[in-house]
Amino acid sequence: MKIDNVKIINLPKIIDERGNLSFIEENIHIPFKIKRSYWIYDVPGGEIRGGHAYKENQEFIIALSGSFDVILDDGKKRKTFSLNRSYYGLYIPKSIWRQMENFSTNSLALILASIPYDPSDYIYDYEVFKDQVK
Ligand code: TYD
């Protein structure tokens, strides 16, 4: 997959004096069926998450609270996305190397995934990843 297939997707935003509301429906706002959701929170300052690619899993990442950076790499090009609003997210196709860093205090990252958790879907070695995407 190419880095150009990564995209920021704006979500519906229902503005209301009582507080705003956003939502996501699978296959409508994001291009996959949601098989799993997980979230990353209580990240100590300076910590880095990720550092791997998935063979099949596609993800959509939203900064529900606070901010953090997602650094993506397709084996040729690298791009950094700063997420800091809860009404848009980052769509990452399969086979893209990712790292998450610069988490602000009390940041909350929600990740929607296209497959159930499967350790064999991970590629942890960047050189192996680069070889596979050649
Ligand atoms: P990992 O995917 O390596 O986290 P990150 O990429 O954000 O740094 O997962 C960390 C640990 O959590 C690992 O032991 C596997 C476990 N885990 C699950 O059991 N289920 C899940 O859905 C996820 C994402 C992780």
Side-chain angles (χ1 to χ4, degrees):
M1 250 329 145
K2 295 261 169 55
I3 204 95
D4 302 333
N5 297 108
V6 168
K7 59 182 175 190
I8 292 283
I9 298 177
N10 286 309
L11 298 169
K13 184 178 182 188
I14 314 294
I15 295 168
D16 192 312
E17 285 169 358
R18 301 170 300 160
N20 300 335
L21 181 151
S22 288
F23 59 93
I24 302 169
E25 291 183 20
E26 58 185 11
N27 286 337
I28 295 179
H29 305 104
I30 52 173
F32 60 84
K33 257 178 96 64
I34 301 164
K35 285 282 169 61
R36 177 167 53 106
S37 308
Y38 62 95
W39 44 100
I40 296 173
Y41 54 98
D42 289 350
V43 180
E47 283 297 339
I48 294 173
R49 302 288 322 209
H52 54 73
Y54 300 116
K55 293 175 200 158
E56 287 302 326
N57 190 31
Q58 307 168 58
E59 289 192 331
F60 186 67
I61 305 180
I62 310 160
L64 282 187
S65 179
S67 62
F68 49 85
D69 295 336
V70 186
I71 296 143
L72 300 176
D73 183 327
D74 64 6
K76 286 205 176 88
K77 274 201 279 182
R78 190 166 282 208
K79 220 167 160 181
T80 299
F81 293 85
S82 294
L83 301 184
N84 52 25
R85 291 285 183 270
S86 59
Y87 51 81
Y88 65 78
L90 182 63
Y91 168 68
I92 311 176
K94 67 180 183 177
S95 200
I96 299 278
W97 190 268
R98 93 273 315 283
Q99 188 166 301
M100 295 165 75
E101 59 183 48
N102 281 332
F103 287 89
S104 68
T105 306
N106 288 331
S107 58
L108 171 59
L110 174 68
I111 298 113
L112 307 177
S114 68
I115 66 167
Y117 176 65
D118 176 5
S120 71
D121 192 51
Y122 284 68
I123 305 169
Y124 282 114
D125 184 324
Y126 184 71
E127 292 309 315
V128 170
F129 167 72
K130 261 188 106 165
D131 255 17
Q132 288 192 2
V133 293
K134 246 184 211 161

